[in-house]
Amino acid sequence: MKKGIISVIILITYFSCQDKVDEKPTVSAKSNNPYILVLGNAQDAGYPQIACQKECCNRVSLNPELKRFVSSIAVIDPISNESWIFDATPDFTAQTKLLSKYVKDKPLPDGIFLTHAHIGHYTGLMFLGREALGAIKMPVFAMPKMQQFLTENGPWSQLIELENIDIRPLKQDSIIVLNSRISVMPIQVPHRDEFSETVGFIIHNQHKKALYIPDIDKWEKWNRKITDYIKEVDLAIVDATFFKEGEINRDMSEVPHPFVEESMTLFENLSEGDKRKVFFIHFNHTNPLLIEESDAQKLVQNKGFNIAKQGLVISF
């Protein structure tokens, strides 16, 4: 990988769009550069999670504005008025509504990139089908096993047969050009690949890059170094499903995501500029990073890292 890319100053604005999606947002970036919008930051089952009787989810019942959508981002090109969503989550309807506030007269994205076949990352495709929108040839970018899974299993196969979606094949480490300003490259990562392979994405904005890896097993299981990628790119939005060991009452080796504590230790020797590139995302309902002004949030921020909050706009 080429070294020495100069870090970009990241312009960020946060607003409480998760419970106020009808409000007209304001993008802070003064240029017409493409930017990223965080559409959600929760783990696949959302926040609150089904049947959870713990304080972490009960607090949302008392304060519905604390609800968070499942992890997804959008890349938006203000010049071409185009957008692409990364992962189609169970909150797809609300997330497309949020996205539509940033693109003129377009209620849907121009395409969808899928990372893998776990429930929080592709099941939103159902809203494009006969029982819902009845979309016409929505471009869906998928890796070979992901494409095979959709093609050979109902009800997803019906989306293809009825041409609600148009599968666009992806190849590992091969660049897909979306327009003259934006291209995307999938990179395969280790994960529990029961139904498909799993990928993250490098999003190219002319001479700058953003890395998006919402799901991965422990960093040491990867045959590449995440720290090298962080140095290479201008923005890194990465898996932070669990904050620490013992967070859930089960054998956590069954879901071997990198703990936030582990990631911060691994990243501690990065420069301050490289640390500022890191945004944590994909929080399990037990993860204290979901709680505003929590000690966990303050610790992450004091160490120089960031939290991918729902509604965050990031220029890169």
Side-chain angles (χ1 to χ4, degrees):
M1 298 174 68
K2 292 178 66 177
K3 307 295 182 183
I5 292 179
I6 299 175
S7 298
V8 68
I9 297 176
I10 300 172
L11 304 175
I12 304 168
T13 182
Y14 173 69
F15 55 92
S16 183
C17 60
Q18 57 273 6
D19 60 318
K20 300 178 181 178
V21 294
D22 288 323
E23 291 187 4
K24 182 66 176 178
T26 300
V27 177
S28 67
K30 295 181 180 179
S31 71
N32 285 320
N33 290 331
Y35 57 91
I36 286 174
L37 169 65
V38 179
L39 296 173
N41 61 4
Q43 179 266 356
D44 298 42
Y47 182 67
Q49 190 172 116
I50 184 172
C52 176
Q53 300 298 315
K54 300 177 181 178
E55 192 278 334
C56 58
C57 290
N58 285 338
R59 60 192 295 274
V60 186
S61 298
L62 298 173
N63 302 279
E65 71 277 6
L66 300 179
K67 172 181 169 61
R68 296 295 182 265
F69 301 147
V70 175
S71 291
S72 176
I73 64 170
V75 174
I76 301 169
D77 186 340
I79 289 182
S80 65
N81 198 45
E82 293 176 291
S83 66
W84 296 268
I85 281 182
F86 288 73
D87 282 333
T89 83
D91 293 313
F92 189 69
T93 298
Q95 289 170 324
T96 53
K97 184 177 181 182
L98 170 56
L99 176 60
S100 70
K101 305 300 177 183
Y102 290 81
V103 289
K104 185 178 180 181
D105 301 325
K106 294 176 77 171
L108 293 172
D110 292 278
I112 301 166
F113 285 83
L114 300 179
T115 58
H116 65 299
H118 283 164
I119 64 167
H121 300 265
Y122 78 97
T123 54
L125 295 177
M126 63 187 174
F127 297 109
L128 299 172
R130 170 182 278 168
E131 300 88 347
L133 178 65
I136 300 173
K137 294 186 175 181
M138 168 63 73
V140 174
F141 298 84
M143 292 288 285
K145 290 182 181 179
M146 185 77 232
Q147 178 176 353
Q148 182 180 6
F149 175 79
L150 295 172
T151 302
E152 296 181 357
N153 294 279
W156 320 109
S157 56
Q158 181 173 275
L159 296 173
I160 298 171
E161 293 164 3
L162 297 181
E163 297 188 333
N164 300 129
I165 64 174
D166 178 22
I167 299 293
R168 307 285 179 89
L170 294 173
K171 182 179 179 181
Q172 180 180 347
D173 298 327
S174 182
I175 293 176
I176 296 288
V177 176
L178 299 178
N179 64 21
S180 61
R181 291 151 59 79
I182 300 174
S183 60
V184 175
M185 183 175 73
I187 52 174
Q188 197 158 340
V189 301
H191 196 42
R192 304 181 319 279
D193 295 336
E194 301 95 335
F195 305 112
S196 77
E197 64 277 269
T198 302
V199 293
F201 292 101
I202 295 180
I203 304 157
H204 296 250
N205 164 18
Q206 297 176 311
H207 302 296
K208 296 172 184 175
K209 300 177 185 178
L211 174 68
Y212 182 56
I213 303 179
D215 255 314
I216 192 170
D217 289 345
K218 297 295 187 184
W219 295 119
E220 59 266 25
K221 292 187 176 184
W222 198 14
N223 61 2
R224 308 183 186 189
K225 291 185 177 180
I226 181 59
T227 49
D228 286 346
Y229 275 103
I230 293 171
K231 293 173 185 177
E232 168 81 12
V233 302
D234 301 280
L235 172 66
I237 305 174
V238 298
D239 184 353
T241 305
F242 301 112
F243 193 80
K244 63 182 180 179
E245 176 67 66
E247 188 172 312
I248 58 175
N249 188 25
R250 60 187 285 194
D251 182 357
M252 296 186 74
S253 67
E254 297 175 356
V255 279
H257 298 271
F259 304 139
V260 175
E261 287 187 342
E262 294 174 331
S263 294
M264 290 193 297
T265 298
L266 181 62
F267 303 161
E268 66 182 356
N269 290 326
L270 292 172
S271 69
E272 293 304 310
D274 285 336
K275 288 179 181 178
R276 285 195 295 270
K277 301 174 184 177
V278 176
F279 285 74
F280 290 117
I281 199 168
H282 197 266
F283 308 130
N284 194 60
H285 66 292
T286 55
N287 194 323
L289 291 184
L290 282 165
I291 302 174
E292 289 299 317
E293 300 300 320
S294 64
D295 290 342
Q297 279 200 357
K298 292 175 182 177
L299 176 63
V300 166
Q301 292 165 341
N302 287 340
K303 286 183 175 292
F305 306 107
N306 301 284
I307 299 159
K309 298 184 179 182
Q310 184 169 303
L312 197 66
V313 170
I314 313 174
S315 296
F316 71 103

